[in-house]
Amino acid sequence: MTRVAVLGATGAVGQRFIQLLSDHPTFEIAALTASADSAGSPYREAAKWRVDTPIPEAVADVEVVETTPEAVPDDVDLIFSSLPSSVAERVESDFCEAGYVVSSNSSNERGADDVPLVIPEINPDHLDLIEVQRDNRGWDGALVKNPNCSTITMVPTLATLDAFGLERVHVSTLQAVSGAGYSGVTSMEILDNVIPYIGGEEEKMETESRKLLGEFDGSQVQWHDVEVSASCNRVATLDGHLENVWAELSDDPTVAEIYAAFDDAATQDLHSAPDPLIETFDEPDRPQPRLDRFLGNGMAVAAGGVQETPAGVQYNTLAHNTLRGAAGASLLNGELLDRNGWL
Ligand SMILES: N[C@@H](CC=O)C(=O)O
C-alpha cells in the first residue's frame, strides 16, 4: 500500500479527500493535518463533517497533527494538499524540501515554469517537469498541481477540439456554491440570485488552459497560443460547474465529427479515471448539474448541445467541482505519480 497524508484535512476539499481515500485500493491514510488549533484532536472533533456519506470509521479517531513536515511520519510516500493557497505558499515547499512528493489542489505556483500542472488524460508527460524542478530547487521531493475546477471542466473538451485547430475560446461559467467553500457565499447573497463575478477565476481559466494544452519539450512547457476569455458566475447550485463554451477552430468539423471526437477522448488506466472521459448528450438541455454531476463517480466530464454558431462551435460542459475539479483531480495525479514511479 502507498501511505498518504492529507494537508488541510478538515476543510471542504480535505473531507472529499478522506471520502475518496477511505475505500481506495492502493492508498492508505497515514496522517491528517490541520491548523495548530485542531492539532491533537481526533478527526471527528476537528472536522465538522459535511460530506453526504458518513465519516469513515477508520479516520474518525485519528489524531490530527500540525501541518509541518516534522509532524508527518517519515514513511509517508505521498502528500495530498488542500490547503488555502496563502498557507500552501508557505508550507508546501517545506514538505518538498523534506523529500515528500506533494499532489496539490491549491492555486499557488500553478503557473510556475518548473511546476507540472497536470490532468492525467490530457498532459501526463508534463509530469517529467519534476526533473527540471528538482534541478532548479534542489528538492528530493516534488510539487505537482491540478488546475482550478472551472479550468478542469473545460480543458478535456478543448484538448479534443485541438485536433481541429483550436484558435480562440470564449466561456461563460455557472459555478456551484461549493466552489466557494463553506463560508464562501451566504444564503442571503446567493438565493434568488446570480453573482456575475468570482475573484481571480477568469484569469485562472485563461492562463491554466494554455499551460495544460501546451507542449513539454523536455525542459519547459511551451504554452498553447489559444486565446481564452472567460466570464465567471456564481449560481445557486450545490455542486457541479456548468460552462457554455464557444470555440473558434481553423478547420470546419461537422457537429457529428465533434461528438465523435468527444466520445473518443483519451482515457487513462488509473483507478479513479473514468471511461469514457467525456459523456456526451444529444439533447440540447443537457448536461445539467443535478442530473449529470456524478457521471463516472463524479470524475467524468459531460458535454452536450453542440451546435455551429457564427461565434464558433458552441456547447455546454459540466464537471463535479469538488470531485473531478478538486480532490479527485489531485488523487488522480497521485495515482499517475505512483504508476510512473515518482514515489
Ligand atoms: N475557484 C472555484 C473552486 C472550484 O470549485 C470556485 O470558486 O468555484
Side-chain angles (χ1 to χ4, degrees):
M1 291 294 270
T2 300
R3 286 169 60 75
V4 308
V6 180
L7 311 185
T10 55
V13 176
Q15 294 186 18
R16 277 288 185 204
F17 272 120
I18 307 283
Q19 183 193 39
L20 294 173
L21 288 166
S22 70
D23 54 4
H24 196 279
T26 56
F27 290 170
E28 70 178 350
I29 295 176
L32 302 175
T33 88
S35 63
D37 293 350
S38 303
S41 310
Y43 184 71
R44 74 164 89 238
E45 277 171 28
K48 187 164 164 60
W49 186 256
R50 296 175 198 258
V51 177
D52 48 9
T53 53
I55 185 167
E57 275 307 312
V59 299
D61 295 316
V62 168
E63 186 182 308
V64 171
V65 298
E66 268 196 71
T67 307
T68 63
E70 299 72 35
V72 168
D74 289 342
D75 64 353
V76 162
D77 306 295
L78 172 64
I79 302 242
F80 292 112
S81 171
S82 57
L83 296 166
S85 52
S86 54
V87 181
E89 224 164 68
R90 285 189 283 107
V91 306
E92 285 181 346
S93 55
D94 295 344
F95 281 89
C96 298
E97 211 169 302
Y100 293 104
V101 174
V102 179
S103 173
S104 168
N105 179 59
S106 309
S107 63
N108 56 301
E109 300 235 58
R110 283 188 186 140
D113 286 346
D114 61 356
V115 174
L117 179 69
V118 175
I119 301 174
E121 296 95 335
I122 306 301
N123 61 338
D125 59 312
H126 289 203
L127 218 50
D128 293 342
L129 200 52
I130 289 175
E131 295 290 8
V132 177
Q133 185 185 84
R134 286 181 169 166
D135 282 352
N136 285 353
R137 305 193 186 202
W139 289 344
D140 289 327
L143 179 62
V144 174
K145 295 278 169 174
N146 56 264
N148 184 45
C149 49
S150 53
T151 310
I152 216 167
T153 300
M154 166 179 78
V155 163
T157 52
L158 296 187
T160 306
L161 292 177
D162 203 21
F164 304 112
L166 186 63
E167 292 185 329
R168 200 166 293 108
V169 173
H170 297 275
V171 56
S172 175
T173 69
L174 299 97
Q175 297 183 220
V177 290
S178 60
Y182 289 117
S183 52
V185 287
T186 64
S187 51
M188 287 295 280
E189 288 169 313
I190 199 65
L191 288 178
D192 187 30
N193 206 9
V194 173
I195 302 172
Y197 174 73
I198 301 175
E201 197 76 356
E202 295 166 355
E203 293 78 3
K204 286 178 190 165
M205 295 190 81
E206 289 161 6
T207 55
E208 292 174 12
S209 310
R210 296 185 49 227
K211 184 172 179 185
L212 287 157
L213 295 170
E215 294 284 330
F216 177 54
D217 66 10
S219 58
Q220 58 183 324
V221 176
Q222 307 287 347
W223 289 30
H224 198 293
D225 56 12
V226 62
E227 290 170 28
V228 180
S229 54
S231 163
C232 296
N233 303 280
R234 184 77 65 203
V235 301
T237 49
L238 201 51
D239 289 314
H241 289 354
L242 178 63
E243 306 184 353
N244 309 125
V245 182
W246 289 258
E248 291 180 41
L249 308 171
S250 56
D251 299 351
D252 195 16
T254 62
V255 166
E257 285 169 331
I258 290 172
Y259 271 113
F262 285 168
D263 288 334
D264 286 348
T267 57
Q268 275 284 353
D269 186 17
L270 295 169
H271 171 71
S272 305
D275 188 2
L277 169 61
I278 304 176
E279 300 258 7
T280 55
F281 291 90
D282 291 331
E283 299 91 326
D285 63 349
R286 300 287 284 278
Q288 297 180 17
R290 211 177 56 206
L291 301 182
D292 302 317
R293 61 192 167 206
F294 285 114
L295 289 169
N297 292 324
M299 291 297 286
V301 168
V306 178
Q307 56 181 314
E308 286 164 24
T309 76
V313 173
Q314 201 265 312
Y315 59 95
N316 308 313
T317 184
L318 169 89
H320 194 299
N321 55 299
T322 65
L323 290 168
R324 171 51 87 162
S330 297
L331 182 63
L332 204 52
N333 281 348
E335 292 171 5
L336 184 69
L337 282 158
D338 196 11
R339 190 193 65 194
N340 288 9
W342 289 104
L343 306 185

